[in-house]
Amino acid sequence: MNLNSALYTDLYQLAMGQSYFLKDKHEISATFDYFFRKNPFEGGYVLFCGLEEVLDSLEKISFSEDDIHYLEAQGFDSNYTNYLKTFKFTGHIQSMSEGEIVFPFSPILTVSGSIIECQIIETFILNSLNFQSLIATKASRIRYIAGRDKSLAEFGLRRAQGFAGLQASRSAYIGGFDYTSNVLAGKEFNIPVSGTMAHAFIQSYDDELTAFRDFAETRPVNCVLLVDTYDTLKKGVPNAIIVAKEMEARGEKLLGIRLDSGDLAYLSNAARKQLDQAGLDYVKIAASNQLDEHVIRSLKEQYAQIDIYGVGTNLVVGKANGALDGVYKLCSFNNTPRIKISENLKKMNFPGKKQVYRYMNQDGQYIADAITLDHLDTPKTMAHPFETHKRMPIEYASVKALLHDVMIDGKRVHTKKTTLELVKIAEENLSKLPVEHKRFANPHVYKVGLSPELEQLRDQLKKEKLDS
Amino acid sequence: MNLNSALYTDLYQLAMGQSYFLKDKHEISATFDYFFRKNPFEGGYVLFCGLEEVLDSLEKISFSEDDIHYLEAQGFDSNYTNYLKTFKFTGHIQSMSEGEIVFPFSPILTVSGSIIECQIIETFILNSLNFQSLIATKASRIRYIAGRDKSLAEFGLRRAQGFAGLQASRSAYIGGFDYTSNVLAGKEFNIPVSGTMAHAFIQSYDDELTAFRDFAETRPVNCVLLVDTYDTLKKGVPNAIIVAKEMEARGEKLLGIRLDSGDLAYLSNAARKQLDQAGLDYVKIAASNQLDEHVIRSLKEQYAQIDIYGVGTNLVVGKANGALDGVYKLCSFNNTPRIKISENLKKMNFPGKKQVYRYMNQDGQYIADAITLDHLDTPKTMAHPFETHKRMPIEYASVKALLHDVMIDGKRVHTKKTTLELVKIAEENLSKLPVEHKRFANPHVYKVGLSPELEQLRDQLKKEKLDS
């Protein structure tokens, strides 16, 4: 299956494309904004992820001969399918950096091009960015609560949503995880891989000790022994200690043991004591079993002695949300700002081509973002986006524009960033987000406002539409 | 990215593989069971989905030269990586049919082969079957509540979990949906595609009526007009009626209108009235906006006049679960039954190679399933799997074995089923599941029991392990 096929879209994009084409409107210029309305996980931010994949695909997207035949068989007009044969994305994309911290209602990525190309690529952009940003955000929350001194390993592939497991592993790494168990993702995205052993390995032996011995002998580097197959404290840990001592005698060191069931807080403390009493204070304790940021917080509160957290399902499927509500809305057509009317002000989009400025204090910490019309100066005051009577002067030490050119005429402007570069960018950005926006319960709402000119344009267009 | 790479696995499978290989245990025969422990969605069953994809992949799975280099760079032993160069899956798979109704703790698919091949393919099997069964099950619940006379369209690609969107569309179709908006999935899996129009199309015009006119003129077949861009009842529906009448004058028929916001029960009734008064009783009403089985149930309770339900996010991400808890457990090694001990009887596996029998009443409705040891006759009584004092005689009119050979020596036994064949199989199987197992609130628990011989084997192995 060719994932760069332009058929990776919703049928209605192609149906609207046909109408634009047959009415000779398809080359009219348009701009669409990608943004979301609600932070996932009842949190205070989103970590933006997936841009490089989108740019990769947009450089390659096309309809194969096969794809064209399929569309003809679906009853599409032959002049139109003939046009699609040479379809390429030739538009202009401005975006925030992958690894940027983003907030509701700010345009994160904007696509400008002919209306037809903007529509055909919509579905893929949403599919890619919504999911990867969701998972990177989840991962960053787990890193936040675990702390920088713990190791975090993602091993969700078996419960991931099918092929999404590959994107999940990359997103988890960018969000702050150290390792993945997903070998294909490790290879494709250059993510450090890690893994321990399964119960089946131990069950394939008559006894646990021989299983541990054989495993340690054949894989001494980064060896982690799973100790809960029969009885964690009475059999598993004592057997691991025997093997660790045998490894010492060979000049090797056991990396750790893994707990995968039972009361992890209690077992980790008891296992730590047994290991320490055996002089094995260097042997780490890894734990897994339905972990997420909330369970890890609870384990830390109970002084669990865990060095390595293995997180699977809850991370890679982005529980409890499962989806980020990102949307892609027309804000300009034929170089004229456009608005969609709704009874709910929050459901209206901000018209026109825009820029987002981020304001920082003297420590470089993020204070507020202002959305303004493109090519205007940094605003000094901003309006609340929906509570129209609220105004705020902005006091700041420095400011930066967040949207910058990433693709012009369908070609990347900069070289592709490596996954490791994105990890560093995300980590630095997260360090600039004040802690009150990171906490889990009722995080402080980060201020995103409108410049006076943008607010005025919205109000004017709204009035015109309602009067018409 | 090659999705048939044998690197589509967890690192620990390859690490255990190395230990088996270096200890010359890798060719020892093993059998693993795929099963799950808990029905998703607080429901009463799972619709099994994903088998054909698994068989496709197992026929092709291998390590490329590139993959081997990657493993060498990860420090794997060169004798072992040399062995992996010619790795193929050559094992034996027994499975229930794709589209079968399955219940907790029954083996759904079993893999027999050398221990090393069984382990390497574990992760992909879980990844593929867990997700697709989850989505097919969700889809079947939506079909159940919507009824057979409604049309169901899946259009979740924009919020699907990345590439999983392709598998989700196929699974939704097998679970009972009529259409997908996902064009690539439509082409690859031969699923009927459908689509309407987006707000952006209407916004690209100065007025809604011209937008409707142009769309209907350029796409008259299966034309559905989106009526909520400005004001559903005052503008959208009246404009759609004008266009429908113009279509009638050209000898065409408007298929429908779509509601995408607001109170769908109220709006659908008001729109129905306007359409009927205009003599347009053939124009259907489609509705979308965060639908799932519970919202559709509520809409039906309110006598909403909706003919076509469009379902997206909640279906394709399998809300609220996000994952099926399927596992893959060693039940036989070197032709000897194996068990994993746990304090919790539910966490122990059923040892040995097994068969599952399904009992039916004189109407062909499913009554109960019995898990038994392979090659034994149909049991006439069964034991509760965990409440060990409970016994049940089985009264039935007919019985069938559910596990059958699907792959021998790494090759498919039968030709691949088409997606449409699977749709029919699933529909027929669902029709045989009594309604009390389909209801949403506290569904009746379908009885799955153990044959006396299997219960005895489990108890004997448990005792041996605990005594050792």
Side-chain angles (χ1 to χ4, degrees):
Chain A
M1 189 154 19
N2 174 16
L3 297 174
N4 295 313
S5 166
L7 294 188
Y8 198 127
T9 192
D10 289 309
L11 184 71
Y12 78 174
Q13 312 286 10
L14 298 172
M16 292 186 286
Q18 172 167 295
S19 294
Y20 292 131
F21 178 83
L22 294 177
K23 288 290 172 184
D24 203 24
K25 288 183 65 174
H26 60 294
E27 296 288 2
I28 298 176
S29 71
T31 299
F32 285 79
D33 294 332
Y34 169 68
F35 64 96
F36 65 93
R37 296 194 176 106
K38 196 168 181 301
N39 287 315
F41 315 122
E42 302 183 359
Y45 67 94
V46 159
L47 181 60
F48 175 48
C49 188
L51 176 63
E52 293 293 350
E53 179 187 275
V54 164
L55 299 180
D56 275 351
S57 185
L58 290 183
E59 285 190 332
K60 294 180 199 149
I61 194 171
S62 67
F63 295 92
S64 70
E65 216 171 300
D66 238 33
D67 294 342
I68 296 293
H69 290 155
Y70 177 75
L71 293 178
E72 285 166 355
Q74 299 303 311
F76 280 98
D77 181 275
S78 62
N79 290 311
Y80 175 54
T81 55
N82 206 38
Y83 162 81
L84 292 180
K85 280 180 190 168
T86 56
F87 175 84
K88 286 176 109 181
F89 178 70
T90 60
H92 178 174
I93 296 188
Q94 291 199 304
S95 178
M96 297 192 190
S97 301
E98 184 159 4
E100 189 58 270
I101 313 297
V102 296
F103 304 97
F105 299 102
S106 278
I108 299 167
L109 175 143
T110 74
V111 180
S112 298
S114 67
I115 181 80
I116 194 167
E117 64 185 346
C118 290
Q119 295 253 239
I120 287 174
I121 68 170
E122 169 179 358
T123 308
F124 174 69
I125 286 181
L126 290 170
N127 173 265
S128 182
L129 300 181
N130 279 338
F131 176 59
Q132 296 184 71
S133 299
L134 180 81
I135 303 307
T137 306
K138 183 79 173 177
S140 74
R141 290 164 58 84
I142 296 171
R143 168 56 72 192
Y144 167 73
I145 200 70
R148 282 279 151 202
D149 60 322
K150 302 294 182 186
S151 284
L152 293 177
E154 173 271 313
F155 53 16
L157 186 56
R158 59 190 52 209
R159 301 274 170 81
Q161 298 208 340
F163 301 137
L166 294 158
Q167 293 160 303
S169 296
R170 178 182 181 273
S171 307
Y173 183 49
I174 291 172
F177 269 59
D178 298 302
Y179 305 99
T180 182
S181 69
N182 181 339
V183 191
L184 187 55
K187 177 185 168 225
E188 292 291 329
F189 305 121
N190 203 18
I191 308 171
V193 288
S194 77
T196 64
M197 68 199 306
H199 295 117
F201 185 85
I202 292 162
Q203 285 174 269
S204 80
Y205 284 80
D206 288 327
D207 72 288
E208 191 180 49
L209 182 58
T210 312
F212 283 2
R213 274 191 178 125
D214 276 10
F215 193 73
E217 192 188 319
T218 52
R219 197 177 158 82
V221 178
N222 293 333
C223 181
V224 177
L225 300 172
L226 176 63
V227 294
D228 73 336
T229 305
Y230 300 117
D231 186 313
T232 301
L233 297 178
K234 290 202 185 117
K235 295 181 182 168
V237 179
N239 283 333
I241 288 171
I242 293 170
V243 171
K245 289 292 179 185
E246 291 170 356
M247 289 179 80
E248 278 187 357
R250 296 197 296 269
E252 295 163 353
K253 280 194 164 180
L254 179 67
L255 176 65
I257 60 168
R258 176 159 75 102
L259 309 169
D260 187 42
S261 59
D263 188 310
L264 298 176
Y266 167 74
L267 290 173
S268 66
N269 274 292
R272 183 76 270 156
K273 201 173 283 179
Q274 290 188 34
L275 291 166
D276 289 353
Q277 281 171 354
L280 296 169
D281 57 349
Y282 63 84
V283 173
K284 295 186 192 304
I285 298 180
S288 50
N289 193 14
Q290 299 295 322
L291 301 184
D292 66 8
E293 65 269 47
H294 305 291
V295 176
I296 292 173
R297 179 163 74 164
S298 165
L299 287 169
K300 293 193 75 166
E301 280 171 3
Q302 297 168 74
Y303 304 101
Q305 299 263 10
I306 296 167
D307 309 291
I308 303 165
Y309 292 103
V311 187
T313 314
N314 292 319
L315 169 58
V316 298
V317 307
K319 270 215 172 176
N321 290 69
L324 181 69
D325 73 348
V327 293
Y328 181 91
K329 294 289 176 190
L330 182 73
C331 64
S332 176
F333 185 69
N334 208 3
N335 295 309
T336 312
R338 297 277 164 158
I339 196 167
K340 181 190 174 301
I341 295 298
S342 167
E343 288 172 21
N344 183 346
L345 202 56
K346 284 192 166 186
K347 286 277 182 104
M348 293 194 195
N349 66 301
F350 302 136
K353 294 186 193 181
K354 297 171 289 292
Q355 179 55 276
V356 182
Y357 288 105
R358 176 155 298 166
Y359 299 86
M360 287 151 287
N361 68 14
Q362 63 284 6
D363 301 322
Q365 295 280 296
Y366 300 159
I367 303 172
D369 292 359
I371 310 170
T372 178
L373 290 168
D374 202 15
H375 304 303
L376 284 185
D377 262 358
T378 319
K380 303 288 181 290
T381 65
M382 62 184 198
H384 191 286
F386 310 113
E387 296 171 38
T388 51
H389 59 286
K390 286 192 185 167
R391 293 282 178 285
M392 186 177 105
I394 314 169
E395 285 171 39
Y396 61 95
S398 62
V399 62
K400 63 176 178 182
L402 295 183
L403 291 172
H404 44 94
D405 292 335
V406 293
M407 187 168 254
I408 292 180
D409 298 336
K411 297 282 163 216
R412 257 200 179 81
V413 173
H414 305 290
T415 50
K416 183 173 174 175
K417 289 201 176 72
T418 67
T419 319
L420 189 58
E421 284 172 330
L422 296 173
V423 168
K424 302 285 177 202
I425 290 169
E427 186 178 341
E428 178 166 351
N429 287 329
L430 283 162
S431 75
K432 293 178 180 167
L433 180 68
V435 69
E436 62 265 27
H437 304 298
K438 294 179 187 165
R439 69 173 182 241
F440 296 163
N442 297 315
H444 190 53
V445 176
Y446 186 88
K447 288 193 172 59
V448 175
L450 307 184
S451 76
E453 299 84 358
L454 177 59
E455 189 190 30
Q456 198 186 348
L457 178 66
R458 178 188 57 183
D459 293 346
Q460 174 201 325
L461 290 183
K462 186 177 68 175
K463 189 168 182 304
E464 283 174 19
K465 274 288 164 199
L466 291 175
D467 292 349
S468 75
Chain B
M1 189 155 18
N2 174 16
L3 296 175
N4 295 313
S5 166
L7 294 189
Y8 197 126
T9 192
D10 289 308
L11 184 70
Y12 79 173
Q13 313 285 12
L14 298 173
M16 291 186 286
Q18 172 167 295
S19 295
Y20 292 131
F21 178 82
L22 294 177
K23 288 288 173 184
D24 203 23
K25 289 183 65 175
H26 59 294
E27 296 288 1
I28 298 177
S29 70
T31 298
F32 285 79
D33 293 332
Y34 169 68
F35 64 95
F36 67 93
R37 297 196 176 102
K38 195 171 183 299
N39 287 316
F41 316 123
E42 302 182 0
Y45 68 94
V46 159
L47 180 60
F48 175 48
C49 188
L51 176 64
E52 293 293 351
E53 179 188 274
V54 164
L55 299 180
D56 275 351
S57 186
L58 290 182
E59 285 190 332
K60 294 181 199 147
I61 194 171
S62 67
F63 294 92
S64 69
E65 216 171 298
D66 237 33
D67 294 341
I68 297 292
H69 290 157
Y70 177 74
L71 293 178
E72 286 166 353
Q74 299 302 312
F76 281 98
D77 182 274
S78 62
N79 290 311
Y80 175 54
T81 55
N82 207 39
Y83 163 81
L84 293 179
K85 281 180 189 167
T86 56
F87 175 84
K88 286 175 108 179
F89 178 70
T90 60
H92 179 174
I93 296 188
Q94 290 200 303
S95 178
M96 296 192 191
S97 301
E98 184 158 5
E100 190 55 271
I101 312 297
V102 296
F103 303 98
F105 299 102
S106 279
I108 300 166
L109 176 144
T110 74
V111 180
S112 298
S114 66
I115 181 80
I116 195 166
E117 64 185 346
C118 290
Q119 296 252 237
I120 286 174
I121 68 170
E122 169 179 358
T123 307
F124 173 70
I125 285 181
L126 289 170
N127 172 266
S128 182
L129 300 181
N130 279 337
F131 176 59
Q132 296 184 71
S133 299
L134 181 82
I135 303 308
T137 306
K138 184 80 174 176
S140 74
R141 291 164 57 84
I142 296 171
R143 167 57 72 192
Y144 167 73
I145 200 69
R148 282 278 152 203
D149 60 321
K150 303 294 181 184
S151 284
L152 293 177
E154 173 271 312
F155 54 16
L157 186 56
R158 60 190 52 209
R159 301 275 171 81
Q161 298 209 340
F163 301 137
L166 293 158
Q167 293 159 304
S169 296
R170 177 181 181 275
S171 307
Y173 182 51
I174 291 172
F177 270 59
D178 298 301
Y179 305 99
T180 182
S181 70
N182 180 339
V183 191
L184 187 54
K187 176 183 169 230
E188 292 290 329
F189 305 119
N190 203 18
I191 308 172
V193 288
S194 77
T196 62
M197 67 199 306
H199 297 117
F201 185 85
I202 292 162
Q203 285 174 271
S204 80
Y205 284 78
D206 288 326
D207 71 288
E208 191 180 49
L209 182 59
T210 312
F212 283 1
R213 275 191 178 125
D214 276 9
F215 193 74
E217 192 188 321
T218 52
R219 196 177 161 79
V221 178
N222 293 333
C223 181
V224 176
L225 300 172
L226 176 63
V227 293
D228 73 335
T229 305
Y230 300 117
D231 186 312
T232 300
L233 298 177
K234 291 201 186 118
K235 295 180 181 167
V237 179
N239 284 333
I241 288 171
I242 293 169
V243 171
K245 290 290 179 187
E246 291 170 356
M247 290 178 80
E248 279 186 356
R250 295 198 294 271
E252 297 163 352
K253 280 194 166 181
L254 179 66
L255 176 65
I257 62 168
R258 176 160 75 103
L259 309 169
D260 187 42
S261 58
D263 189 309
L264 297 177
Y266 167 75
L267 290 173
S268 66
N269 273 292
R272 182 77 270 156
K273 200 173 283 176
Q274 290 187 35
L275 290 167
D276 289 353
Q277 282 169 353
L280 296 169
D281 57 350
Y282 63 83
V283 173
K284 294 186 192 304
I285 297 181
S288 51
N289 193 14
Q290 300 296 321
L291 300 185
D292 65 9
E293 66 270 47
H294 305 292
V295 176
I296 292 173
R297 179 163 73 164
S298 166
L299 287 168
K300 293 192 74 166
E301 281 171 4
Q302 296 167 76
Y303 305 101
Q305 299 264 10
I306 296 168
D307 308 291
I308 304 165
Y309 291 102
V311 187
T313 314
N314 292 320
L315 168 59
V316 297
V317 308
K319 270 213 173 180
N321 290 69
L324 180 69
D325 72 348
V327 293
Y328 181 90
K329 294 289 177 190
L330 182 72
C331 64
S332 176
F333 185 70
N334 208 1
N335 294 309
T336 312
R338 297 278 165 159
I339 196 167
K340 183 191 171 304
I341 296 298
S342 168
E343 288 173 22
N344 184 346
L345 202 56
K346 285 192 166 186
K347 286 277 181 105
M348 292 194 195
N349 66 301
F350 303 136
K353 295 186 191 180
K354 296 172 290 293
Q355 179 55 275
V356 183
Y357 288 104
R358 175 155 298 167
Y359 299 86
M360 287 151 289
N361 67 14
Q362 63 283 8
D363 301 322
Q365 295 280 297
Y366 300 159
I367 303 171
D369 292 359
I371 310 171
T372 178
L373 289 168
D374 203 14
H375 304 302
L376 285 185
D377 261 359
T378 318
K380 304 285 180 292
T381 66
M382 62 185 197
H384 191 286
F386 311 113
E387 296 171 38
T388 52
H389 58 287
K390 287 192 185 166
R391 294 280 176 287
M392 186 177 106
I394 316 168
E395 285 170 39
Y396 60 95
S398 62
V399 61
K400 64 176 178 181
L402 296 182
L403 290 172
H404 44 94
D405 292 334
V406 293
M407 186 168 254
I408 293 180
D409 298 336
K411 297 283 163 216
R412 258 200 180 83
V413 174
H414 305 290
T415 51
K416 183 173 173 176
K417 289 202 175 72
T418 67
T419 319
L420 188 58
E421 283 171 329
L422 296 173
V423 168
K424 302 285 178 202
I425 290 169
E427 186 178 340
E428 178 166 351
N429 287 329
L430 283 161
S431 75
K432 294 177 180 166
L433 180 68
V435 69
E436 62 266 26
H437 304 296
K438 294 180 187 165
R439 69 173 182 242
F440 296 163
N442 298 315
H444 190 53
V445 177
Y446 185 88
K447 288 194 173 54
V448 175
L450 307 184
S451 76
E453 297 83 359
L454 177 58
E455 190 189 30
Q456 198 185 347
L457 178 65
R458 178 187 58 181
D459 293 346
Q460 174 201 327
L461 290 183
K462 187 176 70 175
K463 189 166 180 305
E464 283 174 18
K465 275 287 165 201
L466 291 175
D467 292 349
S468 73

